Amino acid sequence: MDIKQNKEALAPKPAAAQGHEPNKILKNKLVWIIGGVIIIAVIAAIIFMTTKQPPKQNAGATQNQTTSDTQAPSLFMEQYGQGCKEKDVAFTSAPMKSEELSYIRPLGAVNDGHVTPTDHVYVGGSNQRAADNTYAVLMPADGIVTDVSAMPAQYIGDKSGQQLAPEDHRIVISHSCRYFSIYIHVHKLSDPLKAAVGTLQPNESKKAGVELKAGDVVGYIGGSTFDWTPIDTNVTLKGFISPKLYEGEPWKIHTVSPFDLYTGALKTQLEAKSLRTMAPVGGKIDYDEPGKLIGTWFREGTDGYSGNKDSGGRYWDGHLSVAPDYIDPTSTIVSIGNWTGEAKQFVVNGTADPAKISSQEGATKYELKNLSYVSSSQVWSSGFVTGLHPDQSGAVVGIILFEVLPGEKLKVEKFPGKTAAQVTGFTSAAQTYER
């Protein structure tokens, strides 16, 4: 409608000609108003859809992971992401030379002070008796080595002795603002890293800022393994009911299988090195299910994963895990931070499914056997080979009693040296765990 037409429409008309004209004008105005509102709403919807896309799914993410590119920076990024570079990353190198890489122990092992499923894989060479610094540890992708630390003079745990190597390092690598790697128990450093950080005292850490390419040497190991924690900050594991309990190790909730980072033939080759053959072959660390026994628990008052500061440095004292074995998930493992004063790991006698135990079952009694592994009906004493599984032939060494309580609480009591017939219920020694 032009200006002239608008003026004519609004000019007074003879009474006989007016009839119901004001109602028509009102209807026309309403039509224009409603149309305008619809147009504005459509434009707003288009803008919203183009500026806030749904979270992108990481190609390697499994069902126990969530991904998001719209979250606020995580605690991990606050601590480790300063100065990271936004760029595409391709994992094109194995962490060791292919001809020297013998096996990869998947995520989720429990042993000694590692009471909860470990957030790293173990990478080992072909000769487990090789002299120190025989094998090169390689960059899996381009990146910047940001931090190098000397490990403590004694390994973590109740059974571990002094270091097995004169040098032992923890190395943080930023591949991008999304992908990071943490290597631990790398012994001798490569020349560029050594030049950047010099000599480190136990527990000392220095910034490195050394840029390396995929396949470049980071350092060396001998017959022992090194740890690799692969981190994808776009991934937040769903199997931790209370992520806040893990703030002491903020990378844990972003840990992924290393095999998720590779593609093509190299991915297939590396998966074939895993000791686990059941999916997921890279292992798993987050087993919590709401209202169920399965998963990770912390004794009340011990500050989650960080542990009670009054436990004499034994931060794992209040840790508890009830989860499938990391190699053979048909077996259930109970791992506890304090069993007669030290951390212990047990296989549950027979078949058990903690994912089916809720508050409705009341008290649940598990018979425990010391955790050891066998392969091809032979007790495993040395070497890592496929086909390992927990040994069920040993004697029962104790009973543990669980009762799932409301509000993600768990009643726990230990009965070392007892048989099932000797345990009839909880006593005043029972403790409460939470998550």
Side-chain angles (χ1 to χ4, degrees):
M1 181 182 294
D2 59 25
I3 296 176
K4 180 178 179 183
Q5 290 173 325
N6 192 44
K7 287 182 177 179
E8 290 176 347
L10 297 178
K13 297 183 180 180
Q18 287 180 11
H20 299 289
E21 193 64 19
N23 291 335
K24 291 182 180 180
I25 295 173
L26 180 59
K27 290 180 181 178
N28 288 338
K29 287 183 178 180
L30 288 173
V31 170
W32 279 101
I33 291 171
I34 293 170
V37 170
I38 293 173
I39 292 171
I40 292 171
V42 171
I43 293 173
I46 293 172
I47 293 173
F48 177 83
M49 292 299 292
T50 56
T51 58
K52 188 176 180 64
Q53 293 290 337
K56 297 178 181 178
Q57 181 72 20
N58 175 32
T62 60
Q63 290 183 351
N64 69 310
Q65 301 169 355
T66 58
T67 61
S68 174
D69 53 9
T70 59
Q71 291 180 339
S74 67
L75 182 60
F76 172 83
M77 290 300 290
E78 291 177 8
Q79 294 185 14
Y80 292 90
Q82 303 302 316
C84 66
K85 295 182 179 180
E86 293 282 4
K87 61 178 182 178
D88 293 333
V89 176
F91 285 78
T92 57
S93 172
M96 292 176 64
K97 295 177 182 178
S98 296
E99 64 273 18
E100 296 176 347
L101 173 55
S102 176
Y103 64 93
I104 297 175
R105 293 172 60 194
L107 298 169
V110 290
N111 181 53
D112 198 8
H114 287 312
V115 174
T116 65
T118 51
D119 55 20
H120 49 266
V121 299
Y122 297 85
V123 185
S126 54
N127 180 5
Q128 292 167 50
R129 294 180 176 84
D132 195 22
N133 302 322
T134 296
Y135 300 121
V137 176
L138 309 178
M139 290 280 287
D142 295 356
I144 298 174
V145 175
T146 60
D147 299 85
V148 179
S149 307
M151 294 295 290
Q154 184 170 335
Y155 289 142
I156 292 171
D158 292 317
K159 302 181 183 67
S160 300
Q162 298 298 310
Q163 286 179 305
L164 302 178
E167 297 180 272
D168 191 8
H169 300 95
R170 178 180 187 267
I171 298 168
V172 180
I173 304 166
S174 171
H175 301 291
S176 68
C177 291
R178 175 176 178 178
Y179 295 108
F180 294 78
S181 290
I182 299 176
Y183 283 173
I184 304 180
H185 302 313
V186 175
H187 296 168
K188 179 183 175 182
L189 297 174
S190 67
D191 290 341
L193 291 187
K194 184 69 174 179
V197 301
T199 301
L200 298 168
Q201 299 301 314
N203 289 316
E204 183 181 8
S205 180
K206 290 184 180 179
K207 294 293 182 183
V210 177
E211 189 165 353
L212 297 174
K213 297 294 185 182
D216 284 352
V217 176
V218 175
Y220 300 87
I221 60 169
S224 60
T225 59
F226 75 93
D227 306 351
W228 179 15
T229 300
I231 297 157
D232 181 349
T233 60
N234 275 18
V235 168
T236 299
L237 299 179
K238 295 192 297 184
F240 291 129
I241 286 178
S242 302
K244 188 173 180 60
L245 293 173
Y246 300 88
E247 288 184 348
E249 293 193 352
W251 56 85
K252 196 175 293 288
I253 63 172
H254 304 298
T255 300
V256 296
S257 163
F259 307 133
D260 291 347
L261 306 177
Y262 292 91
T263 59
L266 182 54
K267 175 185 176 75
T268 301
Q269 292 167 13
L270 290 174
E271 286 181 330
K273 302 287 186 179
S274 177
L275 297 185
R276 177 173 172 139
T277 57
M278 299 183 187
V281 294
K284 179 179 169 65
I285 67 173
D286 58 319
Y287 288 95
D288 296 358
E289 294 185 21
K292 300 297 178 64
L293 172 59
I294 191 170
T296 300
W297 301 86
F298 303 101
R299 195 169 64 243
E300 280 189 330
T302 57
D303 195 25
Y305 193 88
S306 295
N308 193 331
K309 296 178 176 60
D310 298 328
S311 60
R314 298 180 65 260
Y315 71 86
W316 57 87
D317 188 89
H319 293 188
L320 170 67
S321 171
V322 186
D325 181 65
Y326 81 118
I327 295 176
D328 175 19
T330 63
S331 294
T332 296
I333 307 301
V334 171
S335 177
I336 190 164
N338 190 325
W339 178 274
T340 65
E342 65 178 14
K344 288 284 288 184
Q345 285 74 40
F346 304 96
V347 60
V348 175
N349 185 32
T351 302
D353 187 354
K356 293 183 178 179
I357 304 300
S358 67
S359 59
Q360 295 180 351
E361 280 67 42
T364 297
K365 188 187 310 182
Y366 282 164
E367 294 180 319
L368 304 178
K369 298 179 177 182
N370 287 322
L371 178 61
S372 61
Y373 289 86
V374 293
S375 177
S376 302
S377 301
Q378 298 296 318
V379 175
W380 168 66
S381 58
S382 64
F384 289 94
V385 296
T386 56
L388 289 174
H389 56 274
D391 184 11
Q392 285 277 0
S393 66
V396 171
V397 296
I399 303 296
I400 193 162
L401 196 60
F402 296 120
E403 184 175 358
V404 177
L405 304 175
E408 296 305 324
K409 304 280 187 177
L410 181 67
K411 191 174 184 179
V412 180
E413 189 166 356
K414 304 165 288 185
F415 298 90
K418 300 292 186 180
T419 64
Q422 294 173 317
V423 176
T424 57
F426 289 103
T427 74
S428 59
Q431 298 173 313
T432 302
Y433 285 67
E434 62 186 353
R435 66 185 177 194

